[in-house]
Amino acid sequence: MEKEDEFLFNFFTHISQLCFDKAREHTEKEREGSPIPVHSASWTIFLNILPQVILAEKSYIEIGFLQNKHKSFLRKDNSLRSIYESLKSDIKRLEENCNHNQHEERITNYCKHLAQFLSARINLIDFYDKIHITGSNRFFKYSDLVTQMESIIEKHSHSFTDISLTPIKAIFSLECEILQQLLKALTELQRLQFLPSLALIHGAQTRLAAWENKMQNRETWKLGFLKNNPLPLLYQWFVRFKGAVLSKFSLYFHDTLAQQTTLSEMKQLCSKLQNDYFQRMVQFQKKYDSSTVVLITDNQVSCDTIEYNCFPVIVSCPMKTPPQYETLLKMIGDISNELLGNDKIIYKYSTQEQCTYVLYAIELNIYLVMIFESKKSEKDVYISNFVSELSANLRCSKIFVSLKNPTK
């Protein structure tokens, strides 16, 4: 490995391990002691750009990419995306100005690969921005996000492959693959596919563990006792995202999972999840005297978790088939356009049965239904709060929107 290759490899190793102070010291040491005068001018310019890369990466890992977007007539855009764009322009300019001698050909190669890395970062920033915007929508297809993520992976699969950028390439790949796995898991959950969802969640967890193992950030961890969580905000967001997907999985396949263990152990396992949705349903049903709280799907999916010829009840509280099952299906069929077209909770009172049906579309094919053996008002705050919180969590809207203002 050439001296410059080794320098850059160590530089990006420090960056990938979140050792930003070490990366800066490493750069300063090289800048002060570079012994090759033939290409010192271009190499010095290149070294002067690296501290800006350090600052950008430090901000990126703390989710600085959706913060501080100030742009006006008197103030230029100082968003992190614009900083990466500016760095990319500087690198491209240096690449164009390099002489074509043996030494500067190497610098030209570094510039090319570093510019590719900066382009990849810009693409990911745009993708996170899309995720954040998507979280504000009521319904969205996770498959669209999967397609975009896979496009980014494909686009950069052969980018910044120089040996000197190997450490940051590995981190970039892990980040993209975790996003891909979790978004694909959400797609499979919409289709109520048990094994594919489980495999994807496991794949994401494996990659999260690999990413954390690469973070040797003693600079931050040595002060960990002063903080609630010493890990960077972006990694924390990924952990919450995985936790949200796993919690959703535990609800959609609650009955299947419960068959593998005792009820008490199942309850204990679910209590350790980020969100114990089934227990929330139980508490709501008991506290508010609802005869049934149930999630139903109106599409005939092929799933190995529901009996009765793919009976469309996903999960029910109490854990039994609601006696009003046929009525529910007919009702959902009659008002499905209303449920999907308006973001509101629909109340239907049956004078014959003396009960109130409360319906809401969680996703395009999945409905939350609550049955009360009395008349309920549409102004009932307790019901609306329960529905709002449950739907926002199951859609992962809260997780997506939290990218804008992350907190430790």
Side-chain angles (χ1 to χ4, degrees):
M1 185 182 289
E2 296 288 343
K3 177 184 179 298
E4 291 85 356
D5 289 342
E6 184 178 359
F7 162 75
L8 271 185
F9 182 87
N10 291 332
F11 173 82
F12 283 110
T13 296
H14 293 319
I15 294 291
S16 67
Q17 294 176 345
L18 311 186
C19 296
F20 301 112
D21 287 346
K22 285 186 179 179
R24 186 174 61 253
E25 292 168 4
H26 183 62
T27 304
E28 290 173 354
K29 183 178 179 181
E30 173 66 19
R31 189 163 47 195
E32 292 169 0
S34 182
I36 308 175
V38 178
H39 68 283
S40 60
S42 297
W43 184 240
T44 299
I45 294 172
F46 184 80
L47 292 176
N48 287 338
I49 293 174
L50 294 185
Q52 300 172 60
V53 175
I54 296 172
L55 292 175
E57 286 295 291
K58 190 172 184 179
S59 177
Y60 179 89
I61 199 67
E62 295 294 346
I63 316 187
F65 42 77
L66 293 184
Q67 320 308 317
N68 303 321
K69 288 189 174 181
H70 301 302
K71 191 174 183 179
S72 66
F73 178 72
L74 297 176
R75 178 184 292 177
K76 67 178 182 178
D77 182 5
N78 70 342
S79 67
L80 187 56
R81 188 189 191 284
S82 70
I83 291 173
Y84 276 109
E85 287 280 12
S86 178
L87 283 170
K88 182 181 172 183
S89 297
D90 293 343
I91 286 292
K92 284 288 188 181
R93 191 180 306 112
L94 175 59
E95 180 183 356
E96 293 168 359
N97 293 334
C98 280
N99 297 320
H100 295 289
N101 58 50
Q102 180 180 358
H103 296 294
E104 298 217 347
E105 281 293 338
R106 187 175 294 127
I107 299 176
T108 301
N109 181 63
Y110 296 149
C111 288
K112 182 183 75 171
H113 285 273
L114 181 54
Q116 290 173 352
F117 167 66
L118 297 172
S119 293
R121 274 287 185 252
I122 292 166
N123 288 160
L124 273 182
I125 288 172
D126 290 341
F127 185 74
Y128 283 119
D129 194 31
K130 180 65 180 293
I131 288 179
H132 172 257
I133 293 171
T134 299
S136 301
N137 300 333
R138 185 187 175 201
F139 295 130
F140 42 88
K141 294 182 179 179
Y142 303 108
S143 57
D144 292 342
L145 292 173
V146 172
T147 300
Q148 292 177 43
M149 187 69 258
E150 291 180 341
S151 176
I152 292 174
I153 292 174
E154 175 64 24
K155 178 180 178 181
H156 297 289
S157 60
H158 301 296
S159 296
F160 55 105
T161 54
D162 188 85
I163 189 172
S164 58
L165 279 79
T166 302
I168 204 68
K169 176 75 172 185
I171 296 299
F172 174 83
S173 297
L174 283 173
E175 183 179 349
C176 289
E177 288 169 10
I178 295 166
L179 281 168
Q180 178 196 37
Q181 298 276 302
L182 292 176
L183 291 169
K184 286 181 74 172
L186 287 173
T187 301
E188 296 298 337
L189 282 171
Q190 280 187 326
R191 299 174 57 239
L192 298 178
Q193 298 296 301
F194 178 79
L195 289 177
S197 301
L198 182 61
L200 288 162
I201 293 171
H202 177 71
Q205 175 57 42
T206 300
R207 288 164 175 79
L208 274 169
W211 190 5
E212 183 177 358
N213 286 337
K214 290 180 179 294
M215 296 180 189
Q216 305 296 324
N217 187 7
R218 304 304 175 189
E219 296 170 6
T220 301
W221 292 8
K222 64 187 177 183
L223 298 176
F225 66 93
L226 299 175
K227 302 181 179 181
N228 294 326
N229 192 333
L231 292 169
L233 284 180
L234 184 59
Y235 184 84
Q236 289 186 48
W237 181 83
F238 269 96
V239 171
R240 291 196 302 274
F241 186 14
K242 191 270 297 184
V245 177
L246 181 59
S247 297
K248 182 173 182 175
F249 174 85
S250 73
L251 178 65
Y252 281 17
F253 299 106
H254 183 274
D255 292 354
T256 301
L257 296 170
Q259 292 171 11
Q260 313 302 316
T261 184
T262 63
L263 287 177
S264 60
E265 186 176 0
M266 181 66 182
K267 184 176 180 180
Q268 182 180 9
L269 290 171
C270 288
S271 68
K272 298 177 181 178
L273 294 171
Q274 187 166 299
N275 292 296
D276 187 352
Y277 293 123
F278 186 77
Q279 194 57 35
R280 290 185 188 182
M281 289 172 62
V282 169
Q283 292 171 353
F284 176 88
Q285 186 253 338
K286 290 181 177 179
K287 185 175 181 179
Y288 218 60
D289 295 327
S290 171
S291 62
T292 302
V293 180
V294 61
L295 283 179
I296 290 182
T297 179
D298 65 353
N299 63 333
Q300 294 299 309
V301 294
S302 174
C303 51
D304 54 5
T305 62
I306 306 174
E307 298 177 359
Y308 315 111
N309 297 320
C310 203
F311 194 75
V313 172
I314 298 172
V315 62
S316 179
C317 178
M319 294 177 66
K320 62 182 180 180
T321 304
Q324 303 91 339
Y325 162 62
E326 295 294 341
T327 304
L328 286 181
L329 287 188
K330 184 177 185 307
M331 189 176 295
I332 289 174
D334 291 341
I335 65 172
S336 60
N337 290 336
E338 186 180 359
L339 280 167
L340 298 174
N342 301 292
D343 187 14
K344 68 175 184 178
I345 305 168
I346 295 177
Y347 289 71
K348 294 289 184 180
Y349 179 70
S350 171
T351 54
Q352 182 179 356
E353 298 173 302
Q354 293 290 297
C355 69
T356 303
Y357 293 86
V358 182
L359 305 95
Y360 185 75
I362 297 288
E363 302 193 62
L364 286 170
N365 62 311
I366 295 173
Y367 306 91
L368 171 66
V369 182
M370 293 160 284
I371 305 173
F372 300 90
E373 295 177 348
S374 60
K375 190 166 186 177
K376 292 295 179 183
S377 168
E378 295 186 11
K379 297 180 180 180
D380 195 307
V381 176
Y382 194 85
I383 293 176
S384 61
N385 287 344
F386 172 73
V387 172
S388 176
E389 182 180 3
L390 183 66
S391 60
N393 282 316
L394 287 177
R395 293 170 185 163
C396 289
S397 296
K398 283 188 174 182
I399 294 294
F400 290 177
V401 171
S402 71
L403 276 168
K404 187 73 172 181
N405 295 298
T407 56
K408 285 205 174 186

